[in-house]
Every structure is written in structure tokens, then in C-alpha cells.
């Protein structure tokens, strides 16, 4: 057995760096990722906990939002040398063309993309292609487009991108103050009762999610990993529990098999709509993580309630519409079409996308 050759490590001196105008509004971890791509985020978290990173002389954590002209003390960093570090995604004309094909709306300040099924929004372990990396193809000098919010990899539809940091900060405030109205469409198994309702639950991350997830043995089954990487229903006061609120309405149904739901989340928790659909016993069709409880499998064995075999087993969740105040004035209102696998299912059940969407009448609080 041959010994593994350690990767060369480079050390940096103590530095004091200034936050530029284009970097205003960035989280500290994203700022470090831009300035020091070879820095491991686990190491950044450690030096923040120890107080070695300072912003204007104050201790900070990795989620701290930065402001223009702030001074960041950067302690000595241990970085993998360029020769040993993983390859950084490079901008390409193919990425620029793909983004152009995804664009639903664009102006001088922002753009709205129609994210396809299966494309990750941000990078992760082993991730070779993702939207955040693709946006490098639209960078101009130090300025590059900025993701304003996120969608799960298997969720399709409307995704908002700011063209500069100032617009990103303005849009971030609009989202935080709940001025943005987000409407999702889903095909769920079963028919929820009542036909229009409100799901209000506390959710917490499962043991396979977030910074505290345990190491995953290489021989572990994928199903077990999925079970750990789910949000779980929690109680108020439980560690990590956050309140989540969603309004839903049936647009059309093919009882007792399924229903087309329009959903309006008022909070933005991880996997919120997927967890809420499971909680009302109507999981989103094609979801690889949610909807695999014993009662769900019983329904699928019932020939009267099981979904037809010809449908594609992909997540049937679409970020259908986004309505919010435009930072430059007026209202931004953008709608995404059904992705191909959902259109196929809509056609199979005879659902008409021109139907009036009852969720528009749901409260905004």
C-alpha cells in the first residue's frame, strides 16, 4: 500500500483588507470564498470561533453581512497551493449561452432565470457545474451577478439574480421583510383536506444536514442517507426549531390519486414545501427524500390511489411565479413555464395551466 502524498500548503501573512462597493452585502464566508478560493470553509469557521477574524475590530461569525469600506483582519491562512487545489470552475461561452436560454426577464439591475430541473444553484462536494459558477461567464471586471435566493437542485422555475451588490442588498431586504410573493406549483399524491389550507409547523434539520452532520460511511445505503438529510417536524423550543408557514390551495385534482397544488410560503425554511406536503399526508410526487413513510407506501400499493406508471419520477415542484417591488420602482412579476416532466404529467391528467390560481387570494401574513 503506497502512502498518500500530502498536498502542498501555502501560508499567508496577516492582512487587513477593505470591503469594496461590489462586495457590500456579501456574507463573510462568501467574501472569503471570493478572495481565497483555496480556503476550506471548515477552517474559516474555526478561526472565526477563535476570534482571529475581525471586522472593524469586532468578532464575527461566517454569516455576518459586510458593508462597504469595512476593514477585515485576515489572520495567517493555510491554503492549498494552486497546483494541488481542486480546479476552479472557469467561465465559458457555453455557460453564457445556457444562461441566455434560461432568462425570463432582464434589465440593467437584475435578471430572472428559469432554473431547469437537476441543476444545482450552488456548489458542493463533487459538484462540477452549478448556477453560481456559471454566473462567472457574465462577470465584468470585479463585478459579477449575485444569487438573491436559492432553489433545491430538483426544483425548477423562477430564480432571481442581481447584477451588482447594491441591487443584491436591496433585494435581500425585500425578501427579509416579506415583500416578495412566491408562488409554487406542485403535483402531490392524494388530495389534501381541506381544499385550501394553512400549514404552520416548527421544522428542524435532521442529523444529516448542516454543519453537524456525521461522517457518511461509504457503504451506507442511499435511502438511509436521504432519511438523515431531511427536515423534521419539531416542537417550539426544540434545539434548531424554526417556525414555518405555507398557504396552499387545490387548483385541480384527479381524485383520489393526486392534486395540483398552488403553494405560497411565507417563510423560507430548507425543504419547507416538501416537508409541509409530507406533513399533510400528500407528499410531492417524485420526491426522493420525503413521502417514504409506511402510510405512503400503503397508498402506492392501492391500485385505485397509486400514480400511473408512465409518469416521470422526478420532483414535481415548480417555482411558478415571483412578484415583488423592483428596487428601481414599479413591480417585478415573472412566471416560469412547467418543466418538461411536469408538463407531461399535466397532459396525462388533463390539467389546464390557464386555470385561475386560487392561491392569489391567500393572506400575505
Amino acid at each position: 500500500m503506497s502512502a498518500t502524498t500530502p498536498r502542498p500548503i501555502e501560508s499567508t501573512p496577516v492582512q487587513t483588507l477593505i470591503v469594496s462597493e461590489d462586495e457590500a452585502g456579501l456574507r463573510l464566508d462568501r467574501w472569503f470564498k471570493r478572495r481565497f478560493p483555496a480556503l476550506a470553509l471548515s477552517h474559516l469557521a474555526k478561526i472565526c470561533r477563535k476570534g482571529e477574524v475581525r471586522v472593524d475590530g469586532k468578532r464575527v461569525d461566517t454569516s455576518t453581512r459586510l458593508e462597504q469600506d469595512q476593514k477585515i483582519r485576515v489572520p495567517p491562512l493555510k491554503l492549498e497551493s494552486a497546483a494541488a487545489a481542486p480546479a476552479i470552475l472557469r467561465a465559458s461561452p457555453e455557460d453564457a449561452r445556457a444562461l441566455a436560454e434560461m432568462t425570463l426577464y432582464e434589465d440593467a439591475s437584475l435578471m430572472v432565470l428559469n432554473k431547469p430541473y437537476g441543476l444545482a444553484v450552488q456548489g458542493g462536494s463533487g459538484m462540477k457545474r452549478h448556477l453560481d459558477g456559471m454566473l462567472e461567464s457574465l462577470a465584468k471586471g470585479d463585478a459579477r451577478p449575485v444569487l438573491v435566493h436559492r432553489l433545491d437542485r430538483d426544483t425548477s422555475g423562477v430564480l432571481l439574480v442581481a447584477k451588482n451588490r447594491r441591487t443584491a442588498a436591496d433585494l435581500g431586504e425585500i425578501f427579509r421583510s416579506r415583500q416578495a410573493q412566491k408562488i409554487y406549483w406542485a403535483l402531490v399524491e392524494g388530495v389534501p383536506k381541506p381544499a385550501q389550507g394553512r400549514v404552520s409547523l416548527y421544522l428542524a434539520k435532521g442529523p444529516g444536514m448542516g454543519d453537524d452532520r456525521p461522517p457518511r460511511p461509504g457503504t451506507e445505503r442511499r435511502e438511509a442517507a436521504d432519511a438523515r438529510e431531511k427536515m423534521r417536524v419539531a416542537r417550539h423550543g426544540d434545539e434548531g426549531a424554526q417556525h414555518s408557514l405555507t398557504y396552499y390551495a387545490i387548483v385541480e385534482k384527479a381524485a383520489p390519486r393526486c392534486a395540483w397544488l398552488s403553494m405560497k410560503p411565507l417563510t423560507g425554511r430548507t425543504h419547507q414545501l416538501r416537508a409541509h406536503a409530507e406533513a399533510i399526508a400528500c407528499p410531492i410526487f417524485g420526491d426522493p427524500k420525503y413521502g417514504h413513510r409506511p402510510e405512503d407506501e400503503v397508498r402506492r400499493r392501492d391500485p385505485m390511489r397509486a400514480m400511473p406508471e408512465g409518469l416521470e419520477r422526478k420532483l414535481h415542484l415548480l417555482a411558478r411565479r415571483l412578484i415583488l417591488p423592483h428596487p428601481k420602482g414599479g413591480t417585478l412579476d415573472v412566471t416560469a413555464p412547467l418543466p418538461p416532466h411536469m408538463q407531461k404529467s399535466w397532459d396525462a391528467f388533463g390539467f389546464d395551466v390557464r386555470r385561475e390560481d386560487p392561491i392569489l387570494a391567500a393572506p400575505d401574513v
Side-chain angles (χ1 to χ4, degrees), residues 136-263:
E136 289 290 348
S137 64
L138 305 182
K140 297 179 180 179
D142 292 333
R144 71 182 295 278
V146 182
L147 293 166
V148 176
H149 62 122
R150 303 180 187 182
L151 295 176
D152 293 341
R153 183 193 300 193
D154 292 342
T155 301
S156 310
V158 176
L159 186 69
L160 185 59
V161 176
K163 289 189 173 181
N164 53 70
R165 288 288 163 194
R166 188 172 298 280
T167 299
D170 292 340
L171 290 170
E173 179 56 34
I174 287 170
F175 273 79
R176 283 190 292 274
S177 60
R178 298 189 182 180
Q179 298 178 66
Q181 186 175 177
K182 296 174 285 185
I183 296 172
Y184 289 74
W185 282 1
L187 183 67
V188 300
E189 299 181 57
V191 179
K193 294 180 181 179
Q196 298 186 23
R198 177 179 182 269
V199 185
S200 177
L201 294 171
Y202 283 88
L203 296 176
K205 291 182 177 180
M209 302 177 73
D211 295 333
D212 298 325
R213 57 184 178 270
R216 185 182 304 169
T219 57
E220 195 161 32
R221 291 170 59 101
R222 180 67 233 172
E223 295 83 13
D226 284 341
R228 293 198 318 272
E229 296 169 3
K230 289 176 55 177
M231 298 296 286
R232 58 181 177 83
V233 176
R235 293 180 299 180
H236 179 52
D238 286 355
E239 183 178 358
Q242 293 183 302
H243 182 247
S244 58
L245 176 61
T246 301
Y247 287 94
Y248 74 85
I250 295 176
V251 184
E252 207 164 345
K253 60 187 176 181
R257 298 182 189 276
C258 64
W260 161 15
L261 287 194
S262 186
M263 309 177 80

